[in-house]
């Protein structure tokens, strides 16, 4: 499971700068994880070159696209409601075309076109370059579908248009797909096998962002720690690489160091990590460079060894705890966040208590917690009975959330009295007199504006906190400016 973009951003549609020569209008919405939002930027770039300007007004669009998520049933239900809305508008504006992109497109394939007849085109995560051809098919009155998963496609040659941008932070995709066949997860089936993007294309994209004034990037992938470039191709085929390819291969700690050294005044984050792939060498790179943020999102999903085995997680409880100890030793000021699933098939009360005790051991800064939702097509969906009662799932989830809230308070209070570096991202929601940004540990910090501006790196002395927000006063610019 992957970190989901915050709730307020779900379904957000932003307008880009128009090209005067473009005559058609594109309305594009994104749901789900950061990878989907990053992919929408690739799509917007492809269609901008194909004559489309973006619009936030659904009713005036020639083309409506929704980039979808299949991670939980709730996400799919949200998309279906949006498709109903699109089609209500389409009845008024029959020339409007509707398309589904992303993981739900990959999972349901022709069902949207043939059975439900609610969209004109269906495009999987590896087929966005085929959009101009698919749209031409639609214009000729034919339904269009391309959900073929690629062994090579990384979109390394596309310069993404920044749809979600505040002009300060940006997502940079470095891998696609996943080889970890967790039994609850649809990603390997909707995004294909794991492959990495050519390092120089990543550096070129970051250089472009730096030139445009961006101050922070997040290196993005389903599993960034297993990044491996050896000239192209799937990670699983690396065993067949030549001696020269193996000798010149670039792994994640090397890429992370390349970016940190190449852009010393730019903040670098990464997401998502998998416990079995996070090697000690990565931790030493994080510790060495001050511009690499001290936050590690480290999904665990359960604290029970029996459930971890049922989930096909390739780590044990003990191995996970040993990795936590290593992080604390090498990067002592790192914040750690989690993903947790309550009520996985066969989960007992003892298994649940193992999860609670693991949380007590780690005391995470924050987390993303869900009750188990059976996903059709996954191994768990095919072979395991969803046998934990819904009310039991809900109660266990609430206990996990309550414990996380307690730990979040504990971790927030550790910052009180300390001075932290904050990248100013926006005006605070609660007061126009305050700025909001994040520190290196990805904790939100608010402080009085004074004469600072969005995009500044500011040292802030923390005076108080809530479980999720630090409050303080600016004491000057940081060395990152």
């Amino acid at each position: 499971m992957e970190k989901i973009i915050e709730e307020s951003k779900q379904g957000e549609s932003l307008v880009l700068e128009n090209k005067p020569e473009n005559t058609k209008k594109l309305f594009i919405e994104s749901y789900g994880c950061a990878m989907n939002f990053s992919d929408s930027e690739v799509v917007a770039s492809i269609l901008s070159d194909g004559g489309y300007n973006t619009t936030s007004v659904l009713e005036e669009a020639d083309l409506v696209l929704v980039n979808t998520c299949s991670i939980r049933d709730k996400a799919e239900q949200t998309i279906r409601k949006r498709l109903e809305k699109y089609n209500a508008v389409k009845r008024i504006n029959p020339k409007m075309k509707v398309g589904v992109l992303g993981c739900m497109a990959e999972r349901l394939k022709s069902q949207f076109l043939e059975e439900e007849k609610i969209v004109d085109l269906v495009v999987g995560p590896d087929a966005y370059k085929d959009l101009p051809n698919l749209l031409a098919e639609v214009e000729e009155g034919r339904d269009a579908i391309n959900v073929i998963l690629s062994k090579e496609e990384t979109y390394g040659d596309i310069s993404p248009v920044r749809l979600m941008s505040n002009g300060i932070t940006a997502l940079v995709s470095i891998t696609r797909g996943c080889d970890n066949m967790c039994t609850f997860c649809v990603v390997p089936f909707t995004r294909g096998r794991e492959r990495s993007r050519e390092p120089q294309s990543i550096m070129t994209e970051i250089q472009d962002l730096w030139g445009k004034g961006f101050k922070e990037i997040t290196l993005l992938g389903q599993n960034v720690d297993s990044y491996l470039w050896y000239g192209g191709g799937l990670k699983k085929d690396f065993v067949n690489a030549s001696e020269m390819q193996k000798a010149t291969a670039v792994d994640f700690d090397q890429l992370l160091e390349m970016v940190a050294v190449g852009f010393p005044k730019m903040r670098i984050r990464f997401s998502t990590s998998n416990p079995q792939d996070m090697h000690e060498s990565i931790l030493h790179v994080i510790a060495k460079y001050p511009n690499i943020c001290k936050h590690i999102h480290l999904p665990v999903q359960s604290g029970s060894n029996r459930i971890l085995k049922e989930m096909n997680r390739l780590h044990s409880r003990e191995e996970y705890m040993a990795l936590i100890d290593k992080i604390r030793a090498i990067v002592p000021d790192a914040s750690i966040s989690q993903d947790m699933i309550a009520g996985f098939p066969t989960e007992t009360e003892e298994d649940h208590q193992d999860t609670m005790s693991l949380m007590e051991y780690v005391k995470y800064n924050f987390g993303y917690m869900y009750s188990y939702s059976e996903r059709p097509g996954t191994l768990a969906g095919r072979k395991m009975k969803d046998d934990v009662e819904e009310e039991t799932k809900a109660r266990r989830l609430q206990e996990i959330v309550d414990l996380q809230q307690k730990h979040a308070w504990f971790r927030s209070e550790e910052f009180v009295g300390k001075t932290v570096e904050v990248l100013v991202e926006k005006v605070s929601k609660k007061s126009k007199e305050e700025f909001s940004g994040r520190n290196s540990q990805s904790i939100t910090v608010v402080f009085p504006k004074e004469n600072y501006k969005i995009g500044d790196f500011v040292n802030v002395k923390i005076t108080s906190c809530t479980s999720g927000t630090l409050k303080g006063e600016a004491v000057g610019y940081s060395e990152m400016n």
Side-chain angles (χ1 to χ4, degrees):
M1 191 174 291
E2 188 175 346
K3 178 178 169 181
I4 300 293
I5 289 276
E6 65 183 88
E7 198 66 38
S8 64
K9 301 276 188 195
Q10 295 292 317
E12 188 168 274
S13 171
L14 293 184
V15 180
L16 308 171
E17 191 174 335
N18 284 346
K19 287 184 178 178
E21 66 273 22
N22 286 356
T23 57
K24 292 174 282 189
K25 291 190 176 177
L26 164 70
F27 179 92
I28 184 167
E29 285 184 342
S30 305
Y31 292 86
C33 69
M35 185 63 82
N36 270 9
F37 284 79
S38 176
D39 279 0
S40 288
E41 294 172 348
V42 168
V43 169
S45 180
I46 291 167
L47 292 177
S48 176
D49 291 341
Y52 285 87
N53 285 326
T54 52
T55 177
S56 62
V57 181
L58 174 62
E59 288 74 13
E60 69 179 27
D62 299 290
L63 175 62
V64 176
L65 298 175
V66 58
N67 202 340
T68 60
C69 175
S70 270
I71 203 90
R72 299 195 308 283
D73 184 58
K74 184 185 172 191
E76 290 199 358
Q77 296 310 317
T78 300
I79 304 302
R80 290 195 173 278
K81 282 185 185 144
R82 290 305 288 157
L83 288 170
E84 287 172 19
K85 167 72 174 169
Y86 301 158
N87 280 287
V89 175
K90 194 175 178 182
R91 284 193 284 275
I92 303 162
N93 176 14
K95 289 194 290 186
M96 187 175 95
K97 305 301 179 191
V98 175
V100 174
L101 312 176
C103 294
M104 205 168 159
E106 186 64 42
R107 194 177 81 72
L108 295 175
K109 298 184 173 70
S110 58
Q111 184 176 323
F112 281 134
L113 288 172
E114 293 165 15
E115 293 175 34
E116 301 181 27
K117 300 190 187 301
I118 53 174
V119 299
D120 303 291
L121 70 160
V122 177
V123 190
D126 289 349
Y128 298 141
K129 283 183 187 169
D130 199 29
L131 266 165
N133 298 326
L134 295 171
L135 286 167
E137 289 283 306
V138 170
E139 290 301 327
E140 294 292 325
R142 294 185 289 273
D143 291 334
I145 183 169
N146 185 343
V147 290
I148 295 168
L149 290 173
S150 165
K151 293 183 180 180
E152 288 85 29
E153 186 60 81
T154 63
Y155 299 111
D157 59 336
I158 303 286
S159 179
V161 173
R162 301 293 162 184
L163 280 176
M164 294 295 300
S165 176
N166 53 11
I168 307 298
T169 64
L171 306 169
V172 176
S173 176
I174 66 166
T175 71
R176 295 184 75 82
C178 186
D179 286 349
N180 296 324
M181 303 295 284
C182 299
T183 58
F184 56 80
C185 187
V186 295
V187 166
F189 307 104
T190 60
R191 288 188 173 271
R193 300 305 294 264
E194 192 172 301
R195 63 270 187 209
S196 297
R197 182 177 164 191
E198 196 268 321
Q200 196 50 54
S201 79
I202 295 169
M203 295 295 283
T204 300
E205 182 176 337
I206 299 170
Q207 181 64 57
D208 178 61
L209 290 165
W210 174 248
K212 289 173 178 170
F214 284 79
K215 301 295 182 71
E216 178 184 290
I217 51 118
T218 299
L219 302 175
L220 192 65
Q222 255 77 33
N223 184 10
V224 289
D225 301 280
S226 65
Y227 174 91
L228 182 64
W229 172 261
Y230 60 98
L234 298 176
K235 185 181 178 185
K236 73 180 182 67
D237 295 334
F238 182 63
V239 289
N240 302 319
S242 68
E243 290 307 310
M244 176 60 78
Q245 282 177 313
K246 288 179 179 175
T248 57
V250 177
D251 61 15
F252 185 58
D253 55 73
Q254 292 170 302
L255 177 71
L256 195 56
E257 186 158 32
M258 257 164 69
V259 177
V261 171
F263 303 94
K265 295 293 186 181
M266 201 173 209
R267 254 197 196 173
I268 300 140
R269 300 187 185 275
F270 57 89
S271 185
T272 295
S273 294
N274 253 33
Q276 69 270 18
D277 296 304
M278 175 162 266
H279 306 298
E280 188 174 319
S281 55
I282 294 169
L283 300 176
H284 286 294
V285 174
I286 296 168
K288 183 176 179 180
Y289 295 97
N291 58 328
I292 300 178
C293 288
K294 308 302 185 267
H295 166 230
I296 297 170
H297 183 59
L298 199 64
V300 62
Q301 313 300 1
S302 173
S304 158
N305 274 334
R306 191 183 70 79
I307 293 295
L308 289 170
K309 197 168 181 183
E310 292 290 325
M311 290 176 165
N312 196 35
R313 298 289 286 171
L314 302 175
H315 61 86
S316 68
R317 169 192 175 91
E318 291 73 25
E319 286 166 338
Y320 186 90
M321 290 162 82
L323 177 56
I324 294 293
D325 293 343
K326 225 172 240 183
I327 293 169
R328 299 279 188 230
I330 298 169
V331 195
D333 56 343
S335 64
I336 302 172
S337 55
Q338 46 85 345
D339 285 352
M340 206 72 77
I341 297 173
F344 189 78
T346 77
E347 185 186 72
T348 64
E349 205 56 38
E350 186 181 355
D351 295 324
H352 172 59
Q353 290 306 320
D354 283 347
T355 293
M356 300 289 277
S357 69
L358 178 77
M359 290 178 70
E360 285 285 11
Y361 185 83
V362 181
K363 293 184 173 63
Y364 295 99
N365 293 74
F366 52 96
Y368 304 88
M369 298 148 284
Y370 313 96
S371 59
Y372 175 70
S373 165
E374 186 179 283
R375 308 312 300 126
T378 61
L379 199 64
R382 293 199 306 272
K383 301 201 170 175
M384 298 178 191
K385 186 182 176 191
D386 187 2
D387 59 356
V388 180
E389 296 286 340
E390 288 303 318
E391 62 186 51
T392 302
K393 283 184 192 175
R395 190 254 307 159
R396 289 177 185 168
L397 176 61
Q398 192 58 54
E399 288 176 7
I400 288 169
V401 169
D402 289 346
L403 186 58
Q404 180 54 57
Q405 181 82 346
K406 175 185 154 191
H407 292 157
W409 269 108
F410 170 77
R411 292 299 182 193
S412 288
E413 285 168 348
E414 289 184 319
F415 286 100
V416 175
K418 294 180 180 175
T419 298
V420 299
E421 180 189 78
V422 178
L423 172 58
V424 182
E425 294 181 36
K426 58 189 177 183
V427 175
S428 170
K429 283 180 184 172
K430 292 190 175 175
S431 170
K432 290 181 180 176
E433 304 306 312
E434 292 182 322
F435 276 136
S436 172
R438 286 176 299 160
N439 65 1
S440 177
Q441 289 77 13
S442 204
I443 312 296
T444 297
V445 181
V446 296
F447 64 95
K449 282 181 173 179
E450 298 183 26
N451 294 319
Y452 299 102
K453 62 185 187 299
I454 290 173
D456 285 343
F457 286 99
V458 181
N459 288 325
V460 177
K461 184 168 186 182
I462 304 305
T463 54
S464 65
C465 69
T466 67
S467 62
T469 304
L470 306 177
K471 299 175 182 178
E473 294 181 357
V475 294
Y477 292 101
S478 88
E479 292 178 1
M480 282 287 283
N481 280 299

